[in-house]
């Protein structure tokens, strides 16, 4: 059983900051990647930021320079620091873990429960 627990969402005014956390636990042999997605009202789910097993990161153009993804390997936790928030950042944010539970695999995707981020103007 693999579980992802998210925290850190909330209500903030434009220009403010939040830090999201996602802690993974359970039968995890190795982690290939962790990522954050979001889905706003009436919008499709989109990739916000990702970090590979080698530590390489990528970001959606809309958040570059404002958001930072990082991972604490010892804690199996991924973070998303969000600065200079805008109303258009309002969405439910989901973390995703790409991992395998044994040496033979295969890789599988695991999702957190989602956390609401609301940015007021």
């Amino acid at each position: 059983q693999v579980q992802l627990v998210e925290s850190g969402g909330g209500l903030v005014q434009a220009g403010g900051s939040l830090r999201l956390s996602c802690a993974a636990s359970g039968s995890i042999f190795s982690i290939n990647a962790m990522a954050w997605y979001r889905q706003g009202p009436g919008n499709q789910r989109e990739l916000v930021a990702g970090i590979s097993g080698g530590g390489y990161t990528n970001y959606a153009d809309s958040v570059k320079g404002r958001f930072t993804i990082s991972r604490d390997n010892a804690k199996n936790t991924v973070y998303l620091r969000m600065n200079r928030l805008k109303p258009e950042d309002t969405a439910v944010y989901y973390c995703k873990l790409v991992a395998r539970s044994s040496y033979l695999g295969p890789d599988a995707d695991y999702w957190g429960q989602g956390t609401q981020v609301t940015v007021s103007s």
Side-chain angles (χ1 to χ4, degrees), residues 39-45 90:
Q39 186 168 12
N43 296 324
Q44 294 184 332
R45 184 182 64 185
T90 295

Side-chain angles (χ1 to χ4, degrees), residues 23-52:
S25 63
S27 301
I28 301 172
F29 179 79
S30 63
I31 297 174
N32 286 338
M34 302 187 84
W36 290 94
Y37 290 76
R38 69 185 181 187
Q39 186 168 12
N43 296 324
Q44 294 184 332
R45 184 182 64 185
E46 65 173 346
L47 176 67
V48 177
I51 184 167
S52 72

Side-chain angles (χ1 to χ4, degrees), residues 4-120:
L4 301 178
V5 179
E6 298 183 32
S7 62
L11 174 64
V12 65
Q13 289 186 323
S17 299
L18 287 172
R19 190 181 76 158
L20 306 183
S21 299
C22 178
S25 63
S27 301
I28 301 172
F29 179 79
S30 63
I31 297 174
N32 286 338
M34 302 187 84
W36 290 94
Y37 290 76
R38 69 185 181 187
Q39 186 168 12
N43 296 324
Q44 294 184 332
R45 184 182 64 185
E46 65 173 346
L47 176 67
V48 177
I51 184 167
S52 72
Y56 297 99
T57 59
N58 64 87
Y59 298 90
D61 288 340
S62 60
V63 307
K64 284 182 179 178
R66 299 189 297 119
F67 291 11
T68 303
I69 187 171
S70 61
R71 179 162 68 100
D72 186 332
N73 292 336
K75 297 181 179 180
N76 282 339
T77 299
V78 64
Y79 305 93
L80 184 68
R81 183 175 181 176
M82 304 181 292
N83 294 326
R84 292 146 52 203
L85 283 161
K86 304 175 180 179
E88 48 263 45
D89 295 319
T90 295
V92 178
Y93 285 71
Y94 300 90
C95 68
K96 185 180 79 171
L97 170 71
V98 182
R100 53 179 175 174
S101 59
S102 69
Y103 177 77
L104 295 179
D107 287 341
D109 294 348
Y110 302 92
W111 291 88
Q113 80 281 4
T115 185
Q116 176 71 47
V117 172
T118 302
V119 184
S120 62

